[in-house]
mmCIF file of all heavy atoms in Angstrom:
data_model
loop_
_atom_site.group_PDB
_atom_site.id
_atom_site.type_symbol
_atom_site.label_atom_id
_atom_site.label_comp_id
_atom_site.label_asym_id
_atom_site.label_seq_id
_atom_site.Cartn_x
_atom_site.Cartn_y
_atom_site.Cartn_z
ATOM 1 N N GLU A 317 27.298 14.361 1.924
ATOM 2 C CA GLU A 317 27.964 13.647 3.028
ATOM 3 C C GLU A 317 27.106 12.554 3.588
ATOM 4 O O GLU A 317 27.602 11.756 4.368
ATOM 5 C CB GLU A 317 28.212 14.713 4.196
ATOM 6 C CG GLU A 317 29.331 15.755 3.763
ATOM 7 C CD GLU A 317 29.464 16.782 4.884
ATOM 8 O OE1 GLU A 317 28.639 16.944 5.773
ATOM 9 O OE2 GLU A 317 30.507 17.476 4.785
ATOM 10 N N PRO A 321 29.642 5.776 -0.407
ATOM 11 C CA PRO A 321 30.873 6.185 -1.126
ATOM 12 C C PRO A 321 30.781 5.990 -2.644
ATOM 13 O O PRO A 321 31.345 6.746 -3.378
ATOM 14 C CB PRO A 321 31.919 5.262 -0.517
ATOM 15 C CG PRO A 321 31.382 4.985 0.934
ATOM 16 C CD PRO A 321 29.960 4.934 0.765
ATOM 17 N N GLN A 324 29.074 8.934 -4.041
ATOM 18 C CA GLN A 324 29.974 10.028 -3.910
ATOM 19 C C GLN A 324 31.037 10.087 -5.000
ATOM 20 O O GLN A 324 31.303 11.078 -5.644
ATOM 21 C CB GLN A 324 30.671 10.097 -2.532
ATOM 22 C CG GLN A 324 29.736 10.368 -1.401
ATOM 23 C CD GLN A 324 30.415 10.334 -0.047
ATOM 24 O OE1 GLN A 324 31.419 9.674 0.164
ATOM 25 N NE2 GLN A 324 29.921 11.097 0.894
ATOM 26 N N VAL A 340 35.712 18.887 -1.841
ATOM 27 C CA VAL A 340 36.274 18.034 -0.766
ATOM 28 C C VAL A 340 36.862 18.852 0.348
ATOM 29 O O VAL A 340 36.794 18.496 1.559
ATOM 30 C CB VAL A 340 37.361 17.098 -1.374
ATOM 31 C CG1 VAL A 340 38.145 16.368 -0.272
ATOM 32 C CG2 VAL A 340 36.744 16.114 -2.318
ATOM 33 N N ASN A 341 37.370 20.013 0.017
ATOM 34 C CA ASN A 341 37.998 20.891 1.053
ATOM 35 C C ASN A 341 36.928 21.413 2.030
ATOM 36 O O ASN A 341 37.248 21.720 3.199
ATOM 37 C CB ASN A 341 38.619 22.094 0.293
ATOM 38 C CG ASN A 341 39.683 22.782 1.153
ATOM 39 O OD1 ASN A 341 40.725 22.144 1.528
ATOM 40 N ND2 ASN A 341 39.551 24.019 1.459
ATOM 41 N N GLU A 342 35.683 21.483 1.557
ATOM 42 C CA GLU A 342 34.595 22.006 2.395
ATOM 43 C C GLU A 342 33.864 20.916 3.158
ATOM 44 O O GLU A 342 32.996 21.226 4.021
ATOM 45 C CB GLU A 342 33.595 22.867 1.598
ATOM 46 C CG GLU A 342 34.199 24.068 1.035
ATOM 47 C CD GLU A 342 33.265 24.953 0.213
ATOM 48 O OE1 GLU A 342 32.099 24.569 0.263
ATOM 49 O OE2 GLU A 342 33.681 25.980 -0.360
ATOM 50 N N MET A 343 34.151 19.682 2.904
ATOM 51 C CA MET A 343 33.492 18.587 3.607
ATOM 52 C C MET A 343 33.921 18.555 5.098
ATOM 53 O O MET A 343 34.963 19.002 5.476
ATOM 54 C CB MET A 343 33.845 17.208 2.976
ATOM 55 C CG MET A 343 33.325 17.016 1.649
ATOM 56 S SD MET A 343 33.760 15.350 0.960
ATOM 57 C CE MET A 343 32.822 14.298 2.044
ATOM 58 N N ALA A 344 33.006 17.969 5.931
ATOM 59 C CA ALA A 344 33.398 17.781 7.349
ATOM 60 C C ALA A 344 34.539 16.832 7.390
ATOM 61 O O ALA A 344 34.620 15.853 6.633
ATOM 62 C CB ALA A 344 32.228 17.197 8.092
ATOM 63 N N PRO A 345 35.482 16.985 8.311
ATOM 64 C CA PRO A 345 36.719 16.135 8.301
ATOM 65 C C PRO A 345 36.463 14.652 8.329
ATOM 66 O O PRO A 345 37.028 13.851 7.636
ATOM 67 C CB PRO A 345 37.462 16.633 9.530
ATOM 68 C CG PRO A 345 37.028 18.049 9.726
ATOM 69 C CD PRO A 345 35.546 18.038 9.307
ATOM 70 N N ASP A 346 35.442 14.211 9.271
ATOM 71 C CA ASP A 346 35.204 12.802 9.346
ATOM 72 C C ASP A 346 34.599 12.228 8.109
ATOM 73 O O ASP A 346 34.874 11.130 7.677
ATOM 74 C CB ASP A 346 34.300 12.550 10.576
ATOM 75 C CG ASP A 346 33.002 13.330 10.521
ATOM 76 O OD1 ASP A 346 33.024 14.471 10.023
ATOM 77 O OD2 ASP A 346 31.969 12.809 10.990
ATOM 78 N N ASP A 347 33.728 13.001 7.395
ATOM 79 C CA ASP A 347 33.148 12.558 6.163
ATOM 80 C C ASP A 347 34.158 12.505 5.055
ATOM 81 O O ASP A 347 34.100 11.583 4.224
ATOM 82 C CB ASP A 347 31.983 13.495 5.736
ATOM 83 C CG ASP A 347 30.787 13.387 6.693
ATOM 84 O OD1 ASP A 347 30.437 12.324 7.101
ATOM 85 O OD2 ASP A 347 30.198 14.460 7.072
ATOM 86 N N ARG A 348 35.111 13.441 5.078
ATOM 87 C CA ARG A 348 36.205 13.437 4.116
ATOM 88 C C ARG A 348 37.047 12.233 4.287
ATOM 89 O O ARG A 348 37.443 11.542 3.290
ATOM 90 C CB ARG A 348 36.990 14.684 4.243
ATOM 91 C CG ARG A 348 38.090 14.844 3.153
ATOM 92 C CD ARG A 348 39.062 15.968 3.474
ATOM 93 N NE ARG A 348 38.320 17.198 3.653
ATOM 94 C CZ ARG A 348 38.519 18.018 4.765
ATOM 95 N NH1 ARG A 348 39.251 17.604 5.744
ATOM 96 N NH2 ARG A 348 37.806 19.122 4.869
ATOM 97 N N VAL A 349 37.382 11.872 5.525
ATOM 98 C CA VAL A 349 38.220 10.676 5.826
ATOM 99 C C VAL A 349 37.492 9.409 5.329
ATOM 100 O O VAL A 349 38.112 8.521 4.767
ATOM 101 C CB VAL A 349 38.549 10.590 7.277
ATOM 102 C CG1 VAL A 349 39.183 9.284 7.620
ATOM 103 C CG2 VAL A 349 39.537 11.705 7.648
ATOM 104 N N ARG A 350 36.179 9.375 5.575
ATOM 105 C CA ARG A 350 35.406 8.185 5.139
ATOM 106 C C ARG A 350 35.470 7.973 3.631
ATOM 107 O O ARG A 350 35.577 6.891 3.132
ATOM 108 C CB ARG A 350 34.002 8.361 5.684
ATOM 109 C CG ARG A 350 33.152 7.022 5.539
ATOM 110 C CD ARG A 350 31.780 7.170 6.167
ATOM 111 N NE ARG A 350 31.859 7.479 7.599
ATOM 112 C CZ ARG A 350 31.490 8.624 8.188
ATOM 113 N NH1 ARG A 350 31.033 9.627 7.435
ATOM 114 N NH2 ARG A 350 31.586 8.769 9.492
ATOM 115 N N LEU A 351 35.325 9.150 2.947
ATOM 116 C CA LEU A 351 35.390 9.125 1.494
ATOM 117 C C LEU A 351 36.812 8.718 0.991
ATOM 118 O O LEU A 351 36.919 7.792 0.139
ATOM 119 C CB LEU A 351 35.061 10.555 0.917
ATOM 120 C CG LEU A 351 35.293 10.648 -0.580
ATOM 121 C CD1 LEU A 351 34.339 9.740 -1.356
ATOM 122 C CD2 LEU A 351 35.051 12.101 -0.958
ATOM 123 N N PHE A 352 37.848 9.234 1.638
ATOM 124 C CA PHE A 352 39.255 8.931 1.235
ATOM 125 C C PHE A 352 39.526 7.480 1.434
ATOM 126 O O PHE A 352 40.289 6.865 0.670
ATOM 127 C CB PHE A 352 40.159 9.760 2.015
ATOM 128 C CG PHE A 352 40.367 11.179 1.506
ATOM 129 C CD1 PHE A 352 39.617 11.713 0.485
ATOM 130 C CD2 PHE A 352 41.308 12.040 2.086
ATOM 131 C CE1 PHE A 352 39.714 13.000 0.016
ATOM 132 C CE2 PHE A 352 41.462 13.354 1.603
ATOM 133 C CZ PHE A 352 40.642 13.789 0.603
ATOM 134 N N TYR A 353 38.915 6.874 2.465
ATOM 135 C CA TYR A 353 39.214 5.419 2.723
ATOM 136 C C TYR A 353 38.673 4.553 1.597
ATOM 137 O O TYR A 353 39.238 3.525 1.315
ATOM 138 C CB TYR A 353 38.449 5.095 4.017
ATOM 139 C CG TYR A 353 38.710 3.635 4.454
ATOM 140 C CD1 TYR A 353 39.905 3.190 4.950
ATOM 141 C CD2 TYR A 353 37.652 2.660 4.316
ATOM 142 C CE1 TYR A 353 40.146 1.890 5.271
ATOM 143 C CE2 TYR A 353 37.888 1.332 4.688
ATOM 144 C CZ TYR A 353 39.121 0.961 5.204
ATOM 145 O OH TYR A 353 39.292 -0.335 5.551
ATOM 146 N N GLU A 354 37.627 5.031 0.895
ATOM 147 C CA GLU A 354 36.997 4.239 -0.204
ATOM 148 C C GLU A 354 37.696 4.564 -1.546
ATOM 149 O O GLU A 354 37.523 3.761 -2.467
ATOM 150 C CB GLU A 354 35.521 4.534 -0.320
ATOM 151 C CG GLU A 354 34.733 4.203 0.963
ATOM 152 C CD GLU A 354 34.623 2.731 1.236
ATOM 153 O OE1 GLU A 354 34.774 1.961 0.263
ATOM 154 O OE2 GLU A 354 34.325 2.344 2.347
ATOM 155 N N GLU A 371 43.140 22.008 6.525
ATOM 156 C CA GLU A 371 42.322 20.764 6.300
ATOM 157 C C GLU A 371 43.159 19.553 6.083
ATOM 158 O O GLU A 371 42.836 18.410 6.449
ATOM 159 C CB GLU A 371 41.357 21.069 5.091
ATOM 160 C CG GLU A 371 40.334 22.074 5.288
ATOM 161 C CD GLU A 371 39.389 21.716 6.464
ATOM 162 O OE1 GLU A 371 39.195 20.547 6.732
ATOM 163 O OE2 GLU A 371 38.815 22.669 7.073
ATOM 164 N N THR A 374 44.344 18.306 9.422
ATOM 165 C CA THR A 374 43.241 17.603 10.155
ATOM 166 C C THR A 374 42.983 16.267 9.586
ATOM 167 O O THR A 374 42.779 15.327 10.300
ATOM 168 C CB THR A 374 41.967 18.578 10.052
ATOM 169 O OG1 THR A 374 42.226 19.803 10.657
ATOM 170 C CG2 THR A 374 40.785 17.819 10.793
ATOM 171 N N THR A 375 42.913 16.239 8.213
ATOM 172 C CA THR A 375 42.587 14.932 7.622
ATOM 173 C C THR A 375 43.684 13.944 7.861
ATOM 174 O O THR A 375 43.443 12.739 8.144
ATOM 175 C CB THR A 375 42.483 15.126 6.079
ATOM 176 O OG1 THR A 375 41.445 16.073 5.838
ATOM 177 C CG2 THR A 375 42.120 13.851 5.395
ATOM 178 N N ASN A 376 44.951 14.292 7.788
ATOM 179 C CA ASN A 376 46.106 13.376 8.059
ATOM 180 C C ASN A 376 45.988 12.878 9.488
ATOM 181 O O ASN A 376 46.335 11.699 9.754
ATOM 182 C CB ASN A 376 47.379 14.058 7.824
ATOM 183 C CG ASN A 376 47.790 14.097 6.297
ATOM 184 O OD1 ASN A 376 47.416 13.167 5.595
ATOM 185 N ND2 ASN A 376 48.456 15.159 5.897
ATOM 186 N N ARG A 377 45.628 13.736 10.438
ATOM 187 C CA ARG A 377 45.576 13.325 11.812
ATOM 188 C C ARG A 377 44.464 12.278 12.035
ATOM 189 O O ARG A 377 44.731 11.272 12.710
ATOM 190 C CB ARG A 377 45.277 14.580 12.697
ATOM 191 C CG ARG A 377 45.316 14.206 14.201
ATOM 192 C CD ARG A 377 45.368 15.502 15.084
ATOM 193 N NE ARG A 377 44.167 16.281 15.018
ATOM 194 C CZ ARG A 377 44.053 17.466 14.427
ATOM 195 N NH1 ARG A 377 45.105 17.915 13.697
ATOM 196 N NH2 ARG A 377 42.903 18.097 14.378
ATOM 197 N N LEU A 378 43.297 12.494 11.355
ATOM 198 C CA LEU A 378 42.236 11.521 11.531
ATOM 199 C C LEU A 378 42.589 10.228 10.881
ATOM 200 O O LEU A 378 42.330 9.116 11.343
ATOM 201 C CB LEU A 378 40.946 12.109 10.926
ATOM 202 C CG LEU A 378 40.322 13.275 11.646
ATOM 203 C CD1 LEU A 378 38.988 13.614 11.009
ATOM 204 C CD2 LEU A 378 40.086 13.010 13.163
ATOM 205 N N MET A 379 43.243 10.316 9.672
ATOM 206 C CA MET A 379 43.634 9.088 8.987
ATOM 207 C C MET A 379 44.696 8.330 9.683
ATOM 208 O O MET A 379 44.968 7.131 9.386
ATOM 209 C CB MET A 379 44.025 9.448 7.514
ATOM 210 C CG MET A 379 42.914 9.949 6.671
ATOM 211 S SD MET A 379 43.355 10.320 4.946
ATOM 212 C CE MET A 379 43.557 8.702 4.287
ATOM 213 N N TYR A 381 44.647 7.594 12.827
ATOM 214 C CA TYR A 381 44.074 6.686 13.807
ATOM 215 C C TYR A 381 43.702 5.382 13.218
ATOM 216 O O TYR A 381 43.438 5.264 11.949
ATOM 217 C CB TYR A 381 42.836 7.373 14.513
ATOM 218 C CG TYR A 381 43.160 8.612 15.230
ATOM 219 C CD1 TYR A 381 42.635 9.867 14.846
ATOM 220 C CD2 TYR A 381 44.005 8.581 16.380
ATOM 221 C CE1 TYR A 381 42.945 10.968 15.551
ATOM 222 C CE2 TYR A 381 44.312 9.719 17.077
ATOM 223 C CZ TYR A 381 43.752 10.913 16.647
ATOM 224 O OH TYR A 381 44.056 12.042 17.335
ATOM 225 N N HIS A 383 41.725 2.165 11.947
ATOM 226 C CA HIS A 383 40.387 2.041 11.327
ATOM 227 C C HIS A 383 39.416 1.474 12.361
ATOM 228 O O HIS A 383 39.755 0.609 13.198
ATOM 229 C CB HIS A 383 40.509 1.075 10.178
ATOM 230 C CG HIS A 383 39.219 1.019 9.368
ATOM 231 N ND1 HIS A 383 38.533 2.066 8.848
ATOM 232 C CD2 HIS A 383 38.518 -0.115 8.966
ATOM 233 C CE1 HIS A 383 37.501 1.635 8.220
ATOM 234 N NE2 HIS A 383 37.464 0.322 8.276
ATOM 235 N N THR A 385 37.898 2.961 14.883
ATOM 236 C CA THR A 385 38.059 3.493 16.249
ATOM 237 C C THR A 385 37.355 4.874 16.250
ATOM 238 O O THR A 385 37.001 5.489 15.240
ATOM 239 C CB THR A 385 39.536 3.677 16.587
ATOM 240 O OG1 THR A 385 40.129 4.680 15.708
ATOM 241 C CG2 THR A 385 40.341 2.413 16.537
ATOM 242 N N ALA A 386 37.196 5.359 17.455
ATOM 243 C CA ALA A 386 36.562 6.670 17.654
ATOM 244 C C ALA A 386 37.358 7.750 17.029
ATOM 245 O O ALA A 386 36.743 8.711 16.434
ATOM 246 C CB ALA A 386 36.432 6.956 19.137
ATOM 247 N N GLY A 387 38.665 7.683 17.017
ATOM 248 C CA GLY A 387 39.488 8.675 16.377
ATOM 249 C C GLY A 387 39.252 8.774 14.868
ATOM 250 O O GLY A 387 39.361 9.844 14.339
ATOM 251 N N ARG A 388 38.876 7.703 14.312
ATOM 252 C CA ARG A 388 38.737 7.646 12.838
ATOM 253 C C ARG A 388 37.361 8.230 12.426
ATOM 254 O O ARG A 388 37.253 8.736 11.341
ATOM 255 C CB ARG A 388 38.821 6.214 12.330
ATOM 256 C CG ARG A 388 39.066 6.077 10.845
ATOM 257 C CD ARG A 388 40.391 6.660 10.362
ATOM 258 N NE ARG A 388 40.633 6.471 8.996
ATOM 259 C CZ ARG A 388 41.314 5.500 8.485
ATOM 260 N NH1 ARG A 388 41.843 4.576 9.271
ATOM 261 N NH2 ARG A 388 41.490 5.405 7.212
ATOM 262 N N ILE A 389 36.372 8.143 13.244
ATOM 263 C CA ILE A 389 35.055 8.633 12.877
ATOM 264 C C ILE A 389 34.656 9.919 13.524
ATOM 265 O O ILE A 389 33.588 10.481 13.247
ATOM 266 C CB ILE A 389 33.930 7.552 13.208
ATOM 267 C CG1 ILE A 389 33.841 7.322 14.754
ATOM 268 C CG2 ILE A 389 34.245 6.225 12.545
ATOM 269 C CD1 ILE A 389 32.668 6.472 15.132
ATOM 270 N N MET A 390 35.503 10.439 14.422
ATOM 271 C CA MET A 390 35.185 11.694 15.059
ATOM 272 C C MET A 390 35.308 12.916 14.102
ATOM 273 O O MET A 390 35.957 12.806 13.094
ATOM 274 C CB MET A 390 36.109 11.907 16.287
ATOM 275 C CG MET A 390 37.497 12.346 15.898
ATOM 276 S SD MET A 390 38.593 12.455 17.389
ATOM 277 C CE MET A 390 40.098 12.966 16.646
ATOM 278 N N THR A 391 34.668 14.013 14.458
ATOM 279 C CA THR A 391 34.829 15.274 13.808
ATOM 280 C C THR A 391 35.596 16.224 14.723
ATOM 281 O O THR A 391 35.395 16.126 15.961
ATOM 282 C CB THR A 391 33.511 15.895 13.333
ATOM 283 O OG1 THR A 391 33.738 17.115 12.726
ATOM 284 C CG2 THR A 391 32.560 16.118 14.555
ATOM 285 N N THR A 392 36.363 17.090 14.131
ATOM 286 C CA THR A 392 37.110 17.997 14.895
ATOM 287 C C THR A 392 36.400 19.397 14.943
ATOM 288 O O THR A 392 36.950 20.375 15.491
ATOM 289 C CB THR A 392 38.553 18.269 14.316
ATOM 290 O OG1 THR A 392 38.379 18.632 12.922
ATOM 291 C CG2 THR A 392 39.320 16.972 14.449
ATOM 292 N N GLU A 393 35.197 19.409 14.385
ATOM 293 C CA GLU A 393 34.403 20.649 14.381
ATOM 294 C C GLU A 393 33.483 20.710 15.575
ATOM 295 O O GLU A 393 32.373 20.164 15.568
ATOM 296 C CB GLU A 393 33.640 20.731 13.069
ATOM 297 C CG GLU A 393 34.544 20.863 11.813
ATOM 298 C CD GLU A 393 33.763 20.926 10.534
ATOM 299 O OE1 GLU A 393 32.542 20.637 10.534
ATOM 300 O OE2 GLU A 393 34.344 21.287 9.449
ATOM 301 N N PHE A 394 33.967 21.350 16.643
ATOM 302 C CA PHE A 394 33.178 21.491 17.837
ATOM 303 C C PHE A 394 33.573 22.800 18.476
ATOM 304 O O PHE A 394 34.563 23.384 18.111
ATOM 305 C CB PHE A 394 33.432 20.310 18.828
ATOM 306 C CG PHE A 394 34.778 20.188 19.268
ATOM 307 C CD1 PHE A 394 35.257 20.774 20.409
ATOM 308 C CD2 PHE A 394 35.725 19.410 18.515
ATOM 309 C CE1 PHE A 394 36.570 20.692 20.792
ATOM 310 C CE2 PHE A 394 37.070 19.302 18.986
ATOM 311 C CZ PHE A 394 37.474 19.920 20.119
ATOM 312 N N GLU A 416 30.799 27.313 11.011
ATOM 313 C CA GLU A 416 31.841 26.368 10.668
ATOM 314 C C GLU A 416 31.741 25.125 11.429
ATOM 315 O O GLU A 416 32.498 24.127 11.125
ATOM 316 C CB GLU A 416 33.199 27.047 10.988
ATOM 317 C CG GLU A 416 33.413 28.359 10.266
ATOM 318 C CD GLU A 416 34.666 29.090 10.791
ATOM 319 O OE1 GLU A 416 35.454 28.414 11.515
ATOM 320 O OE2 GLU A 416 34.818 30.301 10.515
ATOM 321 N N MET A 417 30.906 24.959 12.352
ATOM 322 C CA MET A 417 30.806 23.818 13.250
ATOM 323 C C MET A 417 29.757 22.787 12.793
ATOM 324 O O MET A 417 28.716 23.163 12.233
ATOM 325 C CB MET A 417 30.507 24.165 14.671
ATOM 326 C CG MET A 417 31.532 25.043 15.311
ATOM 327 S SD MET A 417 33.160 24.278 15.495
ATOM 328 C CE MET A 417 34.158 25.248 14.327
ATOM 329 N N GLU A 418 30.013 21.493 12.987
ATOM 330 C CA GLU A 418 29.080 20.436 12.683
ATOM 331 C C GLU A 418 27.828 20.463 13.625
ATOM 332 O O GLU A 418 26.781 20.217 13.250
ATOM 333 C CB GLU A 418 29.715 19.044 12.660
ATOM 334 C CG GLU A 418 28.824 17.964 12.225
ATOM 335 C CD GLU A 418 29.536 16.667 11.922
ATOM 336 O OE1 GLU A 418 30.720 16.715 11.568
ATOM 337 O OE2 GLU A 418 28.900 15.615 12.003
ATOM 338 N N THR A 419 28.149 20.706 14.897
ATOM 339 C CA THR A 419 27.071 20.801 15.901
ATOM 340 C C THR A 419 27.428 21.862 16.920
ATOM 341 O O THR A 419 28.587 22.018 17.361
ATOM 342 C CB THR A 419 26.833 19.446 16.583
ATOM 343 O OG1 THR A 419 25.729 19.634 17.562
ATOM 344 C CG2 THR A 419 28.036 18.902 17.264
ATOM 345 N N GLN A 467 34.881 1.769 17.603
ATOM 346 C CA GLN A 467 33.785 2.607 17.126
ATOM 347 C C GLN A 467 32.417 2.103 17.582
ATOM 348 O O GLN A 467 31.482 2.866 17.859
ATOM 349 C CB GLN A 467 33.791 2.759 15.622
ATOM 350 C CG GLN A 467 33.608 1.518 14.776
ATOM 351 C CD GLN A 467 33.579 1.734 13.322
ATOM 352 O OE1 GLN A 467 33.924 2.789 12.794
ATOM 353 N NE2 GLN A 467 33.067 0.751 12.568
ATOM 354 N N VAL A 484 35.836 13.018 22.499
ATOM 355 C CA VAL A 484 36.920 12.081 22.269
ATOM 356 C C VAL A 484 38.208 12.716 22.750
ATOM 357 O O VAL A 484 38.534 13.910 22.343
ATOM 358 C CB VAL A 484 37.082 11.620 20.794
ATOM 359 C CG1 VAL A 484 38.207 10.623 20.590
ATOM 360 C CG2 VAL A 484 35.737 11.137 20.257
ATOM 361 N N VAL A 492 40.074 16.276 21.526
ATOM 362 C CA VAL A 492 40.566 16.383 20.147
ATOM 363 C C VAL A 492 39.405 16.240 19.112
ATOM 364 O O VAL A 492 39.619 16.528 17.969
ATOM 365 C CB VAL A 492 41.637 15.236 19.857
ATOM 366 C CG1 VAL A 492 42.902 15.523 20.655
ATOM 367 C CG2 VAL A 492 41.065 13.858 20.207
ATOM 368 N N GLY A 493 38.200 15.841 19.604
ATOM 369 C CA GLY A 493 37.069 15.709 18.683
ATOM 370 C C GLY A 493 35.852 15.225 19.372
ATOM 371 O O GLY A 493 35.840 14.949 20.593
ATOM 372 N N ILE A 494 34.767 15.057 18.624
ATOM 373 C CA ILE A 494 33.548 14.479 19.114
ATOM 374 C C ILE A 494 32.958 13.543 18.125
ATOM 375 O O ILE A 494 33.200 13.661 16.888
ATOM 376 C CB ILE A 494 32.454 15.658 19.393
ATOM 377 C CG1 ILE A 494 32.108 16.399 18.142
ATOM 378 C CG2 ILE A 494 32.981 16.522 20.502
ATOM 379 C CD1 ILE A 494 30.981 17.320 18.228
ATOM 380 N N VAL A 495 32.205 12.525 18.588
ATOM 381 C CA VAL A 495 31.470 11.640 17.743
ATOM 382 C C VAL A 495 30.016 11.978 17.905
ATOM 383 O O VAL A 495 29.440 11.991 18.983
ATOM 384 C CB VAL A 495 31.732 10.178 18.124
ATOM 385 C CG1 VAL A 495 30.776 9.259 17.301
ATOM 386 C CG2 VAL A 495 33.190 9.778 17.950
ATOM 387 N N THR A 496 29.338 12.335 16.767
ATOM 388 C CA THR A 496 27.956 12.797 16.819
ATOM 389 C C THR A 496 26.999 11.564 16.651
ATOM 390 O O THR A 496 27.404 10.502 16.181
ATOM 391 C CB THR A 496 27.713 13.817 15.737
ATOM 392 O OG1 THR A 496 28.030 13.259 14.475
ATOM 393 C CG2 THR A 496 28.497 15.069 16.021
ATOM 394 N N VAL A 497 25.774 11.844 16.982
ATOM 395 C CA VAL A 497 24.761 10.732 16.954
ATOM 396 C C VAL A 497 24.553 10.196 15.560
ATOM 397 O O VAL A 497 24.352 8.971 15.334
ATOM 398 C CB VAL A 497 23.444 11.227 17.606
ATOM 399 C CG1 VAL A 497 22.775 12.298 16.715
ATOM 400 C CG2 VAL A 497 22.499 10.023 17.816
ATOM 401 N N ASP A 498 24.660 11.015 14.518
ATOM 402 C CA ASP A 498 24.454 10.510 13.109
ATOM 403 C C ASP A 498 25.535 9.576 12.755
ATOM 404 O O ASP A 498 25.329 8.560 12.068
ATOM 405 C CB ASP A 498 24.295 11.674 12.130
ATOM 406 C CG ASP A 498 25.509 12.619 12.152
ATOM 407 O OD1 ASP A 498 26.121 12.762 13.234
ATOM 408 O OD2 ASP A 498 25.893 13.175 11.154
ATOM 409 N N ASP A 499 26.752 9.889 13.203
ATOM 410 C CA ASP A 499 27.864 8.986 12.882
ATOM 411 C C ASP A 499 27.690 7.647 13.715
ATOM 412 O O ASP A 499 28.057 6.570 13.191
ATOM 413 C CB ASP A 499 29.226 9.603 13.293
ATOM 414 C CG ASP A 499 29.611 10.731 12.333
ATOM 415 O OD1 ASP A 499 29.302 10.633 11.150
ATOM 416 O OD2 ASP A 499 30.163 11.731 12.807
ATOM 417 N N ALA A 500 27.187 7.743 14.891
ATOM 418 C CA ALA A 500 26.964 6.533 15.716
ATOM 419 C C ALA A 500 25.904 5.663 15.086
ATOM 420 O O ALA A 500 26.078 4.412 15.042
ATOM 421 C CB ALA A 500 26.502 6.964 17.103
ATOM 422 N N ASP A 502 25.273 5.385 11.905
ATOM 423 C CA ASP A 502 25.916 4.726 10.726
ATOM 424 C C ASP A 502 26.778 3.557 11.198
ATOM 425 O O ASP A 502 26.764 2.480 10.568
ATOM 426 C CB ASP A 502 26.841 5.668 9.952
ATOM 427 C CG ASP A 502 26.012 6.767 9.270
ATOM 428 O OD1 ASP A 502 24.843 6.541 8.994
ATOM 429 O OD2 ASP A 502 26.586 7.792 8.981
ATOM 430 N N VAL A 503 27.495 3.722 12.282
ATOM 431 C CA VAL A 503 28.331 2.656 12.870
ATOM 432 C C VAL A 503 27.470 1.438 13.262
ATOM 433 O O VAL A 503 27.799 0.310 12.956
ATOM 434 C CB VAL A 503 29.186 3.140 13.983
ATOM 435 C CG1 VAL A 503 29.830 2.008 14.758
ATOM 436 C CG2 VAL A 503 30.244 4.099 13.539
#
Side-chain angles (χ1 to χ4, degrees):
E317 293 175 345
Q324 291 180 332
V340 171
N341 203 60
E342 294 183 5
M343 291 180 69
D346 55 327
D347 292 317
R348 186 190 304 126
V349 168
R350 192 176 297 112
L351 172 63
F352 280 5
Y353 182 73
E354 300 290 340
E371 293 299 336
T374 300
T375 303
N376 280 326
R377 185 165 68 254
L378 294 184
M379 293 182 72
Y381 295 117
H383 185 52
T385 61
R388 196 63 177 267
I389 64 170
M390 71 182 183
T391 179
T392 55
E393 295 179 347
F394 61 90
E416 303 171 13
M417 298 298 114
E418 184 166 335
T419 179
Q467 64 175 15
V484 183
V492 291
I494 61 172
V495 174
T496 56
V497 67
D498 56 329
D499 292 324
D502 291 340
V503 167

